Structures are given as structure tokens and as C-alpha cells.
Amino acid sequence: MSEPEIATKAPESDALETDTPAAPETVVPTTVTSESEADPKLCDECTSDRPTPSGQSSTGVIQEIGGVKAYISKASDYPHTPARLLLLLTGGTGINSINNQIQADKFASEGFVVVMPDMFDGDPAPNSKTSPEEAAAQNATSTPSFLDTFKIKAVETAKSFLIDMWLARHTEEKVLPLLLKVIEAVKDEFADAVSHGGGIYAMGYCFGARYILLLGAERTAQATGITTPWSKTNAGDEEAGSLSKTTGPYIKVGALAHPTMVTKEDFVGLKVPVSLVCVENDPMLSDEVREAGEDYMNKNDVEHEVQVYPGVPHGMCSFFHLWEEPSG
């Protein structure tokens, strides 16, 4: 597994990196004692796009693939030099975020054709742009006034309510079919890259991370509630009149960075190697769920690596290696 290090913080954090590292932030972790206590909302880093640093811009294009809009970025010497296909799934800020696009370009520079689909069908997380009040607080050199703090709290409360409504619109039943359309289309449009990599590589941040597990699993159509053209009828199904069909896995290998809204059941059926980058005592992914997932993968011989960072908030994981040639 000799491959380049690729940043897995929220993409807006990666875009803001400079050569001089920032001083470490003192963080008091939130303790989560059970799965039921985990807040299933999205982290602020994945719903609020940070300002793009001056002088930085993206180099890819947005186009339709399989009837779904996607940001596509390619290695500079592709197709003259073979590349692999990477499906990149974003947090709530979506494909129009310049920071997400810059992150896709970084992966492309490492030898990938990157396809970053619009999982939200033109409806990214509400208030994905940082509000003036929040921006002022981030840039403040002194303690905010009581009025400033009140304004910030009011904005956070309103945003939380809107995000709850937004999440209700973007369920697995809505998102997964979009991803399957894109996967089917890339097999044709970028057949050389899929073939060169021996399949589709996939990377997901925050909201998108959960779908890495779903795309890497073999599940029945009954379990997903979705019938796809790639469903494989099990022996005896037709005679029994059963609707049970197995689907997936659709990817070769997957990586998840600061996942959210993942449940224990999402690991069931997982077949492909995965790498997880998590933080300790994460309110978005409880230790209980993560440990249950590790236990399932161990018992079912699913190749995996899990890195857990203590003392940092959700969305601020450090670095890990995107697998190049998983064994098996």
C-alpha cells in the first residue's frame, strides 16, 4: 500500500491550508455513551463552505453523466497516461463548492479521473455559505461581544432547523439511485480508467461517507427498496416468485472521512476493503457504532483499516493513505 498521503479533513479546511501550520486548537471532546445519543445532523464544516483562499481556483468542469450533474477533474496527462476512476462523494456543500472542487483536483493530480456527482440534485445544504456573523467571529482577534454571540447563536439555530428539513429531502431512496446512474455511466464514458484500476475507487466525506458503505455492500433489493438493472437474480427466485435480488458491491475499494449518519446496519453486507478516518468521542459517529462496525468487519473478514484521532473535532481528521492495491 505505497501511495501518496491525501488530506481527509473537510475539503474547505484542505483548501485553506498554508505552508505554515496553524497552532493546535484546544478542544474539549463531547462524550457519547450510546448510539441513541449521537446527533445525526451534519457537522458545520460540511454544511458551511469556507472562503476560498485568494489565488486558488478549480480546474475541472461540471457536466452531466448518466443524466446527473457532476464535477469532473482529470489528471493533466490523461488519457495519454493511464488513470484510475475515483468516485468522490461530498459533504452537504455539494459540487458547486470551489473548495470541494479543489479537493477533487488534488485527487486528480495523484493519477485519478475524479467524478464528483451532485448527490443533492441541485439542492445543497441550506446556508452552505458562511454567514457574515460567522465570518466575523472566525476573523475576530478579540472576544465577540454579547450581541455578536447572540447573532451567531440565532444563525446556528435557524441553520440547524433548515438542515433537518434538508436531510428529510435527501434520503437513501433519493440519493442512491442518482449514484447508481453515475456509476453505470462512468463504466462506459471512462471505461479505460475503470479497467486500469480494476474497478471504481470511492471516497466519501461526512454525508457522502455513509454511501461508501452502501455502495461497497452486497444487499438485497428488498433491503434497499431499490431495483437496479445490475440486480442479480438468486437461484430459485423466479420459481419461488421472490423479489429477493442481490445488488452490489459497486466499488472496488472505499475510504470514509469523518462519516456521519452511519448506523450499525450500514456495515452489514460490506464486501470491499475500506479505510475509515474518525475522531474519538464524535457526536456524529458514536464510538459504539464505530466499534460495532469494526467488530462486524473483523468477524466477516472484510479488509479494513481504522484510524481514530483523539482530541480533535469532527471534520478535522489528519491524513491517511488512499489504498492503491488492496490485497485479496
Side-chain angles (χ1 to χ4, degrees):
M1 299 181 186
S2 58
E3 48 279 318
E5 288 186 336
I6 296 179
T8 59
K9 296 188 289 298
E12 51 271 20
S13 302
D14 288 329
L16 288 168
E17 284 184 348
T18 62
D19 294 334
T20 303
E25 180 183 0
T26 302
V27 177
V28 179
T30 302
T31 302
V32 178
T33 57
S34 70
E35 180 181 355
S36 62
E37 291 181 37
D39 190 344
K41 298 176 183 177
L42 302 186
C43 67
D44 185 63
E45 288 82 1
C46 297
T47 57
S48 297
D49 219 7
R50 300 298 186 251
T52 302
S54 176
Q56 290 197 31
S57 60
S58 55
T59 58
V61 297
I62 292 180
Q63 66 183 61
E64 283 199 1
I65 181 164
V68 178
K69 285 187 177 180
Y71 178 81
I72 298 177
S73 184
K74 306 171 186 176
S76 59
D77 52 356
Y78 173 82
H80 302 294
T81 299
R84 295 160 293 172
L85 194 290
L86 175 67
L87 184 71
L88 182 59
L89 307 183
T90 71
T93 49
I95 67 169
N96 289 311
S97 159
I98 300 300
N99 292 316
N100 288 342
Q101 294 176 3
I102 291 173
Q103 184 67 45
D105 295 343
K106 288 184 178 182
F107 281 108
S109 70
E110 299 293 343
F112 289 95
V113 172
V114 182
V115 177
M116 186 168 70
D118 180 6
M119 299 185 292
F120 314 122
D121 197 19
D123 178 33
N127 300 317
S128 58
K129 297 295 182 183
T130 304
S131 71
E133 292 82 4
E134 293 170 310
Q138 292 166 10
N139 296 325
T141 56
S142 58
T143 303
S145 67
F146 173 79
L147 180 58
D148 289 336
T149 301
F150 178 80
K151 288 180 179 178
I152 293 169
K153 291 299 181 183
V155 168
E156 290 175 348
T157 300
K159 180 183 289 187
S160 177
F161 175 73
L162 291 173
I163 287 175
D164 285 344
M165 296 176 62
W166 177 80
L167 286 172
R169 297 196 299 272
H170 298 288
T171 61
E172 177 184 340
E173 291 73 22
K174 296 288 184 64
V175 175
L176 195 54
L178 294 177
L179 297 180
L180 295 179
K181 289 179 181 179
V182 171
I183 287 173
E184 182 68 2
V186 299
K187 290 178 181 177
D188 290 330
E189 186 159 345
F190 300 110
D192 58 332
V194 174
S195 176
H196 179 67
I200 295 174
Y201 293 67
M203 171 75 204
Y205 290 93
C206 199
F207 181 99
R210 175 176 180 251
Y211 288 89
I212 302 299
L213 296 176
L214 302 186
L215 293 172
E218 182 180 274
R219 302 194 298 166
T220 66
Q222 287 177 321
T224 64
I226 300 170
T227 302
T228 74
W230 315 283
S231 299
K232 297 172 289 185
T233 303
N234 292 325
D237 280 350
E238 292 182 3
E239 292 80 357
S242 171
L243 295 178
S244 175
K245 297 180 180 180
T246 57
T247 64
Y250 299 101
I251 59 176
K252 173 185 179 179
V253 60
L256 300 77
H258 48 92
T260 189
M261 298 189 296
V262 172
T263 67
K264 297 175 184 178
E265 290 73 22
D266 291 335
F267 289 92
V268 176
L270 185 62
K271 299 293 184 183
V272 305
V274 293
S275 179
L276 290 87
V277 180
C278 311
V279 301
E280 194 174 49
N281 299 318
D282 189 348
M284 308 296 170
L285 177 71
S286 71
D287 291 348
E288 179 183 344
V289 172
R290 173 177 52 77
E291 290 166 1
E294 291 184 67
D295 184 58
Y296 176 88
M297 292 186 289
N298 286 326
K299 290 180 178 178
N300 290 274
D301 297 322
V302 177
E303 187 181 357
H304 65 280
E305 62 179 12
V306 179
Q307 296 186 28
V308 180
Y309 292 89
V312 293
H314 179 94
M316 292 298 292
C317 305
S318 183
F319 291 91
F320 86 120
H321 290 91
L322 183 66
W323 292 3
E324 183 176 58
E325 293 296 340
S327 60

